Amino acid sequence: MAARVGYDGVEVMVWTDPVSQDEDAIAELSDHFGVPVTSVHAPTLLLTQRVWGKEPWPKVERAARMAKRLGARTVVVHPPFRWQKDYATGFEAGVRRIAQAEGVTLAVENMYPWRAGGREFAAYLPGWDPCELDYDALLLDVSHAATSGLSCLELAQRMGDRLVHLHLTDGNGSPKDEHLLPGQGSQPVAELLAHLAAEDWQGDACVEVTTRRSRGPDERRAALAGALAFARQHLQAPPAG
């Protein structure tokens, strides 16, 4: 799909799908379709707690080695869950250590507070807002910004030079992580991309959206092609002067 639509590369999310866990299989697919792997998402999500074992640090290290093997420059990691206290202790230093040891960038993703029944829960340690913590590289997820009640543009400005990776999507501020197509929510996504273009940003913009409502492959392809066109339109640098 990425090759057919014309994407420059893909981010591989290590998931329950066995192929996503097999770097040799991924390398073969990348070569076959002519689409490079530019980033790897470590299996540190709630639904991937048992992928590659239960211990989180070995999973992050393995994701970093996979990225290096595939020629990807970035590894995406989520902050630890609140119940992973051993993992959360020294998380900032641990991320830096693995990045330096493997020679890849570990980008820590912005998350959001969990909400239920009118109550808000702090689900992540050291915290869901990476701007307040000592990370070398940050990832901005637009849908997560919407869920946390923040503007993606203001969040990017706060991240500054540490922003190296973008999950390009959208949201309307629902407690659910919506991952809408860019431009279909209430976030200032076009303005965010224009800001990055004006700053001559050199990171990767990765379309991370849900296409579950698509009625077949043609509609899914059209949605992904539209997201790509949106990104390229708004990431154009303004003319000199």
Side-chain angles (χ1 to χ4, degrees), residues 96-97 112 130-131 137 140 159 168 175 178 216 238:
R96 183 173 293 116
R97 173 184 59 80
Y112 46 85
C131 297
L140 170 55
M159 289 181 172
L168 181 57
E178 297 173 287

Side-chain angles (χ1 to χ4, degrees), residues 114-130:
W114 290 4
R115 298 184 180 93
R119 300 177 62 189
E120 187 173 291
F121 303 89
Y124 300 97
L125 287 176
W128 58 266
D129 185 351

Side-chain angles (χ1 to χ4, degrees), residues 2-238:
R4 189 176 301 175
V5 173
Y7 278 82
D8 299 314
V10 295
E11 176 174 313
V12 170
M13 177 175 282
V14 180
W15 196 249
T16 55
D17 178 353
V19 174
S20 73
Q21 303 170 27
D22 187 337
E23 61 187 53
D24 291 332
I26 295 168
E28 289 180 8
L29 289 169
S30 177
D31 290 342
H32 177 76
F33 289 103
V35 178
V37 176
T38 57
S39 49
V40 172
H41 198 311
T44 55
L45 286 73
L46 191 62
L47 296 177
T48 56
Q49 292 295 290
R50 295 184 180 275
V51 173
W52 286 353
K54 297 180 181 179
E55 295 300 320
W57 280 125
K59 300 201 297 187
V60 176
E61 291 170 343
R62 185 169 173 179
R65 291 193 298 270
M66 173 186 276
K68 193 172 182 179
R69 156 80 167 82
L70 297 171
R73 64 178 181 174
T74 305
V75 175
V76 176
V77 292
H78 284 195
F81 293 106
R82 195 168 190 85
W83 56 83
Q84 296 175 307
K85 293 184 179 180
D86 291 341
Y87 179 40
T89 300
F91 181 70
E92 294 155 280
V95 166
R96 183 173 293 116
R97 173 184 59 80
I98 295 173
Q100 292 174 349
E102 299 297 337
V104 296
T105 298
L106 265 66
V108 181
E109 189 165 352
N110 63 300
M111 299 306 293
Y112 46 85
W114 290 4
R115 298 184 180 93
R119 300 177 62 189
E120 187 173 291
F121 303 89
Y124 300 97
L125 287 176
W128 58 266
D129 185 351
C131 297
E132 301 174 353
L133 298 162
D134 185 25
Y135 301 124
D136 294 329
L138 302 180
L139 184 155
L140 170 55
D141 184 298
V142 177
S143 181
H144 294 177
T147 302
S148 61
L150 301 176
S151 159
C152 63
L153 177 58
E154 293 178 5
L155 193 54
Q157 292 167 339
R158 287 176 58 207
M159 289 181 172
D161 293 340
R162 293 193 292 167
L163 174 57
V164 301
H165 199 72
L166 174 68
H167 279 170
L168 181 57
T169 177
D170 211 335
N172 285 314
S174 166
K176 297 180 180 179
D177 187 12
E178 297 173 287
H179 282 278
L180 304 176
L181 290 165
Q184 291 190 351
S186 58
Q187 284 284 308
V189 187
E191 292 84 350
L192 166 66
L193 296 180
H195 164 72
L196 295 177
E199 294 290 320
D200 192 28
W201 184 66
Q202 297 299 309
D204 289 332
C206 173
V207 172
E208 190 184 70
V209 296
T210 178
T211 58
R212 293 189 184 97
R213 294 184 180 179
S214 298
R215 295 169 293 184
D218 289 341
E219 192 168 302
R220 181 173 292 109
R221 182 166 54 250
L224 294 175
L228 178 60
F230 183 99
R232 286 184 171 156
Q233 173 189 351
H234 295 290
L235 276 173
Q236 293 291 329

